[in-house]
């Protein structure tokens, strides 16, 4: 099932390559991964977010021109995320338990990009909004003795907003940079070993650098 999904992703992305107005690119992104929502249903335990963690993502950008200023923007990206869970017992008689997991996703964004070049013909500003689908490639607990999470869901869904600048350095080549915020909308926890009702949704703040050609 996972291989079929990945094949469909590649098919969707590369099916646009036959059009004359399609731009390809490569993107590298230092990103901060954190849990924006964490809920634990328990009479005696409480869960808190463990903060942000620096990760690095990369992938392929595909921009399909729709009008002079609007583009359909997609691609395929490897996006690593951190799930940090700090478990505390109410009353403080039980020591805090911190468990951290690394989860890696293959992301297929589906976004609309507005490009303006009001400053100069070679210098543009863009705004981007949309969402995307993510399939889990793998997950790993940072320590073998972690027992809280048994498994993560095989997919995630996110919404995103972003913006940045693009500078044309040649007839068909442009450099770009910007910021984007991606917010997960579903609970990524599938099962817990302790039968605790745990819900985690994660977010990514990304600093993007890339080249299009």
């Amino acid at each position: 099932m996972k291989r079929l999904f990945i094949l469909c992703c590649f098919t969707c992305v590369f099916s646009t390559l036959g059009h004359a107005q399609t731009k390809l690119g490569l993107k590298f992104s230092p990103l901060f991964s954190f849990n924006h929502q964490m809920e634990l249903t328990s009479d005696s335990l409480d869960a808190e977010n463990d903060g942000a963690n620096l990760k690095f993502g990369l992938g392929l950008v595909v921009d399909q021109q729709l009008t002079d200023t609007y583009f359909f923007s997609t691609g395929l990206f490897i996006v690593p995320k951190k799930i940090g869970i700090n478990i505390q017992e109410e009353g403080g008689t039980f020591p805090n338990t911190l468990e951290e997991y690394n989860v890696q996703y293959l992301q297929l964004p589906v976004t609309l990009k507005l490009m303006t070049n009001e400053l100069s013909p070679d210098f543009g500003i863009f705004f981007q909004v949309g969402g995307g689908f993510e399939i889990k490639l793998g997950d790993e607990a940072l320590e073998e003795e972690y027992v809280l999470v048994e498994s993560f869901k095989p997919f995630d869904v996110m919404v995103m907003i972003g913006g940045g600048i693009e500078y044309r350095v040649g007839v068909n080549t442009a450099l770009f940079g910007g910021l984007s915020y991606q917010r997960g909308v579903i609970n990524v926890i599938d099962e817990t070993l302790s039968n605790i009702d745990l819900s985690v949704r994660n977010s990514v703040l990304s600093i993007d650098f890339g080249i299009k050609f």
Side-chain angles (χ1 to χ4, degrees), residues 106-120:
L106 177 67
Q107 183 184 92
L108 174 65
V110 181
T111 66
L112 184 66
K113 182 183 291 185
L114 169 64
M115 178 71 68
T116 67
N117 59 352
E118 298 177 354
L119 299 179
S120 74

Side-chain angles (χ1 to χ4, degrees), residues 5 9 75-77 105-110 131-135 155-159:
F5 182 86
C9 290
L76 285 175
F77 304 101
Y105 293 93
L106 177 67
Q107 183 184 92
L108 174 65
V110 181
F133 305 95
E134 299 176 331
I135 181 170
F155 63 91
D156 196 1
V157 179
M158 63 85 177
V159 293

Side-chain angles (χ1 to χ4, degrees), residues 55-137:
K55 302 287 185 180
F56 297 93
L58 73 161
L60 170 71
V61 177
V62 180
D63 284 351
Q64 174 65 42
Q65 188 171 5
L66 302 176
T67 68
D68 289 340
T69 56
Y70 284 94
F71 294 78
F72 170 71
S73 184
T74 182
L76 285 175
F77 304 101
I78 302 296
V79 181
K81 298 183 181 182
K82 171 201 172 186
I83 309 295
I85 308 167
N86 191 1
I87 301 295
Q88 304 177 12
E89 184 181 21
E90 296 182 2
T93 59
F94 186 80
N96 294 356
T97 301
L98 174 61
E99 296 193 2
E100 294 180 312
Y101 302 84
N102 288 326
V103 186
Q104 192 171 75
Y105 293 93
L106 177 67
Q107 183 184 92
L108 174 65
V110 181
T111 66
L112 184 66
K113 182 183 291 185
L114 169 64
M115 178 71 68
T116 67
N117 59 352
E118 298 177 354
L119 299 179
S120 74
D122 294 330
F123 185 84
I125 300 175
F126 66 87
F127 302 94
Q128 191 171 2
V129 64
F133 305 95
E134 299 176 331
I135 181 170
K136 187 186 73 173
L137 298 177

